[in-house]
Amino acid sequence: MAFTKTIIKSLANKGSGGKRVTHWESDYPSGGVINGFGFRITQINQCSWILNYRVHSADPETGVVVPVRPYQWRQFKLGDFSAISLADARNKAQVILGKIAKGVDPLERTDDDRMTLSEWIHGKGQYAGYYSLKQDARSFKEMERRIKKHIIPALGHKALEAITQKDVLKLRNKVVGKNDARVEANRVLARLSDIFTQARKEGPLKKDFVSPTLDVTRYPEKSRERVLTDEEAKGFMDAVAEEGDHYFEAFIWVMRLTGLRVDEARTLTWKQVDLDATQKTIIDDQIIEIPSPTVTITRMEAKNKTTLVLPLSPEALTVFQQIKKTAGSDHVFPSQNLRYDPDGKKSVPHQPFRIPWNRVRDKTGLRYDVYDEDGKLVSEKLWMHDIRRTLGTTMAVNSSISTIGKVLNQKHASATEIYVRVQQGEMRDAVSKAGRLITNLHGEVSLKTAEKEE
């Protein structure tokens, strides 16, 4: 049978015999036994009620409750034998077990007003509401993956205020692990830091709260410097055309000629492209309108949250004019596999042309050597982002660093509207000159797949 007043009185009178002992209710099997509920007697015969438990967490999507650390047990003191009755101790144990099942660790919080990290991210939805505003599918997935794989299992059960620098260091070291995943550890720390920042700005943390991530050192990272040489670029674009995939060829040319980021290009819609735009200018004291086709990346779609109005070179204009529009899709590069963002209002293509990209990359054998901090050689393949970087080096022949930064939207300070036309002139000149250099390398820019189908 389970604990009764008679059994407890007998155990208390018997004492511990000079050794700390714990009697578990599960040792008295019968209906109503609470697993982990115990009666502890110290060496000096002080008696108290305790609860042994494992921290649990409920998956926010499936609701499935699983132990966070399957092999690690924790012990919570319910109260002294002299201050709380058996019935009250059992009731308290049941209440706490219910909270544990929801991911609350009683040892990490002192009252119900202290929100756990898991509750802030998923339970209440505040932080989830923040990151659902991210428009690009890949970064959203990466954010979700790091939160679910690393942050929630390690710290989700803890109250936000109770998380210490030691906890963060432990998480960082665990992420690095045997595979020496230092870059991934940096990204996890950045996400955790942002979670605390949002909780301080909009949530339960006080304004003077100091994030435990503040003084945790990030690992040094070496920035990529890979760009295609003229010979490599020509061979690569020829291989792209040989794939015979109209939208893939157009996608790569758009990045080659505009310098758009990968996700900005693949989620581009025709509403963002104005091929008929014009701009007034003064020539020989006369105001005339000149063609000024543009692509606009709004601040909500741009990585750095800065709106980009990018002039198109004649070569880029030709490519956009040759891209086929697909009925029922507003995307420049449509996909049969659409994903809806969390608010359900916008569909975005799920594919970044990975299959043909990998095939062309392997076919051309474009790799380059990277050395880690210990001098170890690491061979990596070309990234899509390197196509964007290559345009920057092409523009560098004739354009200033600041103008290149404007074209690639790498400027951190927001520009005022009064300077938009001046910037447009500089940018148009830069992309036009780069377009002429690219034409000189590749010949007249045109989509081979468009020519075949005509």
Side-chain angles (χ1 to χ4, degrees):
M1 59 187 302
F3 281 156
T4 64
K5 292 181 180 180
T6 303
I7 292 174
I8 293 299
K9 185 177 181 179
S10 174
L11 293 174
N13 290 335
K14 182 179 179 181
S16 65
K19 295 182 179 180
R20 178 170 170 166
V21 295
T22 302
H23 302 278
W24 302 105
E25 189 171 55
S26 56
D27 294 334
Y28 302 83
S30 68
V33 169
I34 300 176
N35 289 326
F37 180 54
F39 184 65
R40 185 175 62 195
I41 309 175
T42 67
Q43 295 92 326
I44 57 175
N45 293 326
Q46 290 182 339
C47 304
S48 59
W49 309 104
I50 62 169
L51 180 66
N52 232 28
Y53 68 94
R54 290 183 294 178
V55 179
H56 284 60
S57 178
D59 188 288
E61 296 179 357
T62 65
V64 176
V65 178
V66 295
V68 174
R69 294 185 291 268
Y71 305 106
Q72 183 175 343
W73 289 84
R74 309 199 78 183
Q75 197 169 93
F76 181 78
K77 181 178 177 180
L78 298 167
D80 292 328
F81 172 54
S82 59
I84 183 173
S85 67
L86 170 62
D88 289 340
R90 296 185 87 256
N91 288 336
K92 187 174 181 179
Q94 294 280 25
V95 170
I96 291 176
L97 285 173
K99 293 182 178 181
I100 291 171
K102 296 178 181 178
V104 177
D105 188 344
L107 288 177
E108 301 295 345
R109 56 194 297 176
T110 58
D111 55 65
D112 291 335
D113 293 329
R114 297 180 70 192
M115 186 180 292
T116 66
L117 183 72
S118 181
E119 287 174 334
W120 167 244
I121 294 175
H122 292 298
K124 302 294 182 180
Q126 286 96 330
Y127 188 71
Y130 162 74
Y131 68 70
S132 69
L133 296 177
K134 304 291 183 180
Q135 296 297 315
D136 116 305
R138 183 178 178 184
S139 66
F140 176 83
K141 284 187 174 181
E142 286 298 291
M143 194 182 302
E144 279 283 280
R145 181 184 65 79
R146 290 180 178 121
I147 287 174
K148 289 184 176 181
K149 181 178 179 180
H150 301 297
I151 296 175
I152 292 295
L155 303 173
H157 62 286
K158 288 178 173 284
L160 285 166
E161 303 97 318
I163 297 175
T164 65
Q165 186 183 83
K166 183 179 179 180
D167 294 325
V168 176
L169 284 169
K170 185 176 180 180
L171 170 61
R172 184 198 67 175
N173 296 338
K174 183 177 181 181
V175 174
V176 172
K178 296 180 180 178
N179 296 325
D180 200 27
R182 300 185 182 188
V183 174
E184 176 70 0
N186 286 349
R187 301 297 179 270
V188 171
L189 284 178
R191 179 55 44 208
L192 185 60
S193 176
D194 188 65
I195 289 172
F196 278 112
T197 298
Q198 294 302 316
R200 180 177 57 81
K201 287 182 177 180
E202 306 172 9
L205 295 177
K206 296 180 180 179
K207 298 301 180 183
D208 59 352
F209 176 81
V210 179
S211 172
T213 64
L214 183 62
D215 294 323
V216 176
T217 304
R218 271 60 166 176
Y219 292 102
E221 297 181 33
K222 182 178 180 180
S223 61
R224 289 173 62 86
E225 300 175 352
R226 178 66 159 107
V227 295
L228 294 173
T229 65
D230 286 352
E231 183 179 353
E232 288 174 335
K234 190 176 188 312
F236 191 83
M237 296 310 299
D238 288 343
V240 168
E242 290 171 4
E243 280 291 304
D245 186 324
H246 174 70
Y247 289 110
F248 173 59
E249 183 188 14
F251 175 75
I252 298 300
W253 268 119
V254 165
M255 292 213 314
R256 177 83 171 95
L257 293 164
T258 66
L260 290 177
R261 293 180 174 89
V262 176
D263 289 322
E264 291 171 349
R266 75 180 179 87
T267 59
L268 196 65
T269 65
W270 286 111
K271 293 179 181 179
Q272 296 171 262
V273 182
D274 190 349
L275 302 182
D276 300 318
T278 61
Q279 182 177 334
K280 291 182 180 180
T281 186
I282 299 176
I283 298 180
D284 296 331
D285 294 329
Q286 292 186 358
I287 299 176
I288 63 173
E289 288 191 357
I290 61 173
S292 183
T294 59
V295 167
T296 300
I297 306 298
T298 68
R299 60 182 298 273
M300 292 302 296
E301 295 156 333
K303 181 180 178 181
N304 64 354
K305 300 305 177 187
T306 301
T307 296
L308 169 69
V309 181
L310 178 67
L312 297 178
S313 65
E315 292 78 9
L317 176 61
T318 298
V319 169
F320 274 106
Q321 289 173 333
Q322 292 180 335
I323 298 175
K324 298 176 183 178
K325 294 186 178 181
T326 302
S329 175
D330 191 40
H331 289 100
V332 177
F333 306 107
S335 169
Q336 298 301 314
N337 183 13
L338 295 180
R339 181 191 69 80
Y340 288 88
D341 68 0
D343 60 14
K345 295 179 180 178
K346 178 182 177 183
S347 62
V348 296
H350 190 64
Q351 46 72 33
F353 301 105
R354 283 291 172 190
I355 294 177
W357 168 266
N358 288 336
R359 194 158 47 225
V360 170
R361 187 174 58 177
D362 291 339
K363 180 180 179 180
T364 56
L366 286 175
R367 298 172 179 267
Y368 75 107
D369 294 334
V370 176
Y371 294 87
D372 62 17
E373 294 177 344
D374 300 322
K376 181 181 178 181
L377 179 64
V378 181
S379 179
E380 294 188 11
K381 296 181 179 179
L382 187 75
W383 292 359
M384 282 188 184
H385 190 79
D386 296 331
I387 302 298
R388 158 184 162 88
R389 188 179 292 107
T390 298
L391 176 66
T393 61
T394 302
M395 288 189 292
V397 175
N398 295 290
S399 305
S400 67
I401 295 297
S402 62
T403 301
I404 295 172
K406 293 171 186 175
V407 172
L408 299 181
N409 203 17
Q410 293 178 327
K411 186 176 180 180
H412 296 291
S414 59
T416 56
E417 292 184 359
I418 193 171
Y419 296 116
V420 169
R421 291 186 180 180
V422 176
Q423 292 178 3
Q424 286 282 294
E426 294 175 354
M427 293 162 67
R428 186 182 302 107
D429 185 59
V431 295
S432 294
K433 288 179 179 178
R436 289 198 293 271
L437 287 170
I438 291 173
T439 297
N440 183 62
L441 173 63
H442 297 281
E444 183 179 353
V445 174
S446 180
L447 298 182
K448 301 297 189 297
T449 49
E451 296 172 0
K452 289 180 181 178
E453 297 190 12
E454 289 178 357

